[in-house]
Amino acid sequence: MLVFWGALPGFDRRLKGATVQQKIAAMKEAVNRGQEGLDLAIAGLKDASLQVQQAAYELLRSKSSTQSVKKALLEYNPYAFFECLYEIQVRLNAVNPTAISPNGKIIASGSGSKIKLWKSDTGEVLRTLSAHSKSVNAIAISRDGKILASGSDDRTIKLWNVHTGELLRTITGHAHGVTAVAISPDGNTLASGNWRTIKLWNLHTGKQLHTLEEDAGWVDFVAFSPDGKKIVTRSSSCIKVWGER
């Protein structure tokens, strides 16, 4: 193990020939020695060793209230550390749409005409939502995590209370099965897609606001931009962006 005393300047240079374990041990001691120690751990995020990077990342997460650390963590990509935590077993070919709540705590999945809500950290089933009469094709969760919208082959959109499972509203008006749904960032507007049509609805009343005509077949994806000023749709042959000129 490397041990150091006194001032930190120049210490990072002496680590260049150190082993992975020596670097990790040094960073563990350094992060509690002020800004210069934090800078040493931040430099560890760029080390050639993924093991050193991961150790630096974990150490810095406990110091994320510091502005320089917060900035470094925002700029760092931790996905290299991802691994499968667990699997949720379902019937073969039974899962259609899937969504995760904005706070990352709930997973929603469509299976046939039902929707299941799961705890994302354990895979435990929280509740099952049953009201559609045909297959669920699309799911969206509002930014505040309170409302889930589902679109189905039964030509309806249903709105649910995520926390209680209560069916809040059923929206009708599509001539074909609903194949895409999205909720605007401000939580006021619902977009839905099906055969050559995108419809916009007031999320709170279910009133239809507008219809966008598509000419390229089934709309199987719809999304709002982060500021809510554009809508992106995908059909069988193209992607379209909708908004004000």
Side-chain angles (χ1 to χ4, degrees):
M1 177 184 295
L2 291 180
V3 179
F4 62 95
W5 306 92
L8 284 170
F11 185 73
D12 55 338
R13 292 193 297 273
R14 297 199 296 274
L15 282 181
K16 288 184 177 179
T19 66
V20 166
Q21 294 306 319
Q22 286 173 329
K23 291 180 180 180
I24 293 173
M27 287 190 302
K28 286 181 178 179
E29 186 175 350
V31 292
N32 297 314
R33 301 288 293 275
Q35 185 59 50
E36 291 174 306
L38 292 175
D39 290 342
L40 182 66
I42 289 172
L45 293 174
K46 299 180 181 180
D47 193 89
S49 166
L50 189 61
Q51 190 175 349
V52 172
Q53 290 183 38
Q54 185 168 12
Y57 181 76
E58 295 299 330
L59 288 168
L60 291 169
R61 286 177 67 186
S62 66
K63 306 288 184 179
S64 58
S65 60
T66 304
Q67 192 61 35
S68 63
V69 171
K70 186 182 297 185
K71 181 176 183 294
L73 291 177
L74 284 173
E75 294 174 350
Y76 184 72
N77 183 346
Y79 295 123
F81 310 143
F82 278 31
E83 58 186 38
C84 182
L85 302 178
Y86 58 84
E87 294 182 5
I88 296 175
Q89 296 294 329
V90 296
R91 292 185 296 109
L92 186 63
N93 298 326
V95 176
N96 288 321
T98 305
I100 187 167
S101 61
N103 65 6
K105 293 183 178 181
I106 296 175
I107 295 171
S109 65
S111 182
S113 62
K114 298 180 180 180
I115 301 160
K116 288 187 180 293
L117 302 182
W118 318 74
K119 284 186 176 181
S120 65
D121 56 346
T122 65
E124 174 189 350
V125 176
L126 289 170
R127 58 187 57 88
T128 300
L129 311 179
S130 303
H132 284 292
S133 60
K134 293 184 179 180
S135 293
V136 175
N137 298 317
I139 290 173
I141 300 176
S142 61
R143 180 172 286 184
D144 62 9
K146 295 179 179 180
I147 296 177
L148 181 147
S150 57
S152 167
D153 276 341
D154 64 11
R155 304 181 185 181
T156 70
I157 303 161
K158 294 188 182 292
L159 304 180
W160 312 80
N161 182 310
V162 172
H163 303 298
T164 67
E166 176 190 1
L167 176 61
L168 302 174
R169 179 173 288 104
T170 297
I171 298 174
T172 60
H174 278 293
H176 303 276
V178 181
T179 48
V181 291
I183 298 174
S184 63
D186 63 9
N188 292 325
T189 307
L190 172 74
S192 60
N194 75 341
W195 176 251
R196 294 187 173 183
T197 301
I198 302 103
K199 291 183 180 291
L200 301 176
W201 316 81
N202 183 305
L203 187 72
H204 308 294
T205 66
K207 179 181 178 181
Q208 184 174 325
L209 303 173
H210 189 62
T211 298
L212 304 173
E213 298 296 337
E214 171 63 81
D215 58 2
W218 286 100
V219 178
D220 59 9
F221 176 83
V222 59
F224 285 90
S225 62
D227 62 6
K229 294 182 178 180
K230 290 184 175 63
I231 296 174
V232 175
T233 61
R234 181 186 67 200
S235 63
S236 56
S237 61
C238 68
I239 295 170
K240 290 187 177 181
V241 180
W242 309 76
E244 295 182 32
R245 290 193 179 278

